[in-house]
Amino acid sequence: MNKKTKIIFFIFIYVFSMILFFNNVFSMTHYQETDFVTGLVTANALNVREGPSTNYKIASVVYKNDYIRVFAKINDWYVIQTDSDIIGAVNSKYVKPIYPSNNANNSTNSTLSADEQEVFNLINVQRNNNGLNSLVIDEELQKVAKDKAQDMVDNSYFSHTSPTYGTPFEMIKNYNITYKTAGENIAGNSSNEGAVSAWMNSSGHKENILNNSFNYTGIGVVNSPKYGKIYVQLFIGK
């Protein structure tokens, strides 16, 4: 069993044990499965408790627009995992289920990997929640984002300026893509939700995501031995 498999196995056993513990405490015969795995926090600050009740101690706090992974529901509480790997329970009233397929503008794009598709959907959820139109994948820009992400892994750097391609703006132009406005977000993270949450909690990255002058995007996600995954999102306005 490799290291990654052991971590996943441990998380599964931990979550399952918590669910059994919650059930035993409340004399429940079963818990409710959810039809989604990603939730968006809607409260300004939401306590993550050690059990499904305000009687339990606070283990952590998540904030508005943070993404959390949802495992199950017990009464009015979700059993969740935060981006910092804290597992606990939050009041379901303050969590918005994310159903990417519900948004017609987020239809599956064959040029995107599963990770890239999820990031694309999560970004558009943030834009839609702020009254903005969804971004559209530009296939040529998609190639640029993938090449930049791969270059960052291959050459072991984390910067907007590539030793191979130069600045994002130079790179876009060298791929013969025309634009009026452009921007780039990069991240190193172990999860898609974590990468988008980190961007939304950074003023400069958030400004790119919620920039109404951008209408096209390209997203590259590549496995990284250092960060887990490297993320590159390019934005342009035409």
Side-chain angles (χ1 to χ4, degrees):
M1 186 181 292
N2 59 38
K3 184 177 180 181
K4 183 177 180 180
T5 303
K6 287 181 179 178
I7 293 173
I8 294 172
F9 179 76
F10 174 77
I11 291 175
F12 172 79
I13 293 299
Y14 187 85
V15 172
F16 183 71
S17 298
M18 285 191 69
I19 292 172
L20 289 179
F21 174 73
F22 292 164
N23 286 346
N24 289 335
V25 170
F26 287 89
S27 301
M28 296 172 60
T29 57
H30 67 280
Y31 62 91
Q32 181 182 345
E33 294 183 357
T34 60
D35 57 352
F36 65 97
V37 295
T38 302
L40 183 70
V41 177
T42 59
N44 289 331
L46 180 60
N47 292 329
V48 180
R49 295 187 178 271
E50 294 179 354
S53 164
T54 54
N55 294 326
Y56 287 89
K57 293 181 179 179
I58 297 172
S60 183
V61 180
V62 288
Y63 298 94
K64 190 172 183 177
N65 291 326
D66 281 354
Y67 288 106
I68 54 176
R69 187 164 293 275
V70 180
F71 296 106
K73 187 177 183 183
I74 298 176
N75 293 332
D76 293 328
W77 295 76
Y78 288 134
V79 180
I80 65 99
Q81 179 185 11
T82 70
D83 182 48
S84 56
D85 292 330
I86 300 297
I87 296 176
V90 297
N91 193 313
S92 61
K93 179 180 178 182
Y94 304 105
V95 177
K96 177 182 178 181
I98 300 300
Y99 300 99
S101 61
N102 282 358
N103 191 325
N105 292 320
N106 290 343
S107 58
T108 301
N109 189 306
S110 60
T111 65
L112 275 62
S113 68
D115 283 331
E116 291 159 355
Q117 181 72 48
E118 183 174 24
V119 172
F120 175 62
N121 291 340
L122 294 175
I123 290 294
N124 277 337
V125 167
Q126 294 288 355
R127 285 178 64 90
N128 297 159
N129 285 347
N130 284 274
L132 301 175
N133 291 331
S134 296
L135 295 170
V136 176
I137 291 293
D138 180 290
E139 292 191 9
E140 293 302 315
L141 195 63
Q142 180 65 21
K143 293 177 184 178
V144 180
K146 285 191 175 188
D147 286 352
K148 173 65 178 290
Q150 189 64 59
D151 184 59
M152 289 175 68
V153 172
D154 291 345
N155 291 292
S156 302
Y157 71 93
F158 188 84
S159 172
H160 289 290
T161 301
S162 162
T164 308
Y165 301 105
T167 69
F169 313 106
E170 292 170 336
M171 189 175 181
I172 294 171
K173 288 180 179 178
N174 288 336
Y175 276 66
N176 297 316
I177 299 172
T178 59
Y179 63 89
K180 293 180 180 178
T181 57
E184 180 187 64
N185 282 353
I186 60 175
N189 207 290
S190 60
S191 74
N192 303 329
E193 298 94 338
V196 176
S197 289
W199 283 339
M200 290 301 296
N201 287 318
S202 168
S203 58
H205 297 90
K206 181 178 180 179
E207 185 177 345
N208 278 339
I209 291 171
L210 302 183
N211 191 327
N212 199 32
S213 69
F214 296 146
N215 46 15
Y216 292 93
T217 190
I219 299 168
V221 181
V222 175
N223 290 333
S224 163
K226 183 175 182 179
Y227 299 101
K229 298 173 186 177
I230 283 288
Y231 297 81
V232 174
Q233 181 168 21
L234 291 168
F235 308 83
I236 60 172
K238 295 184 178 181

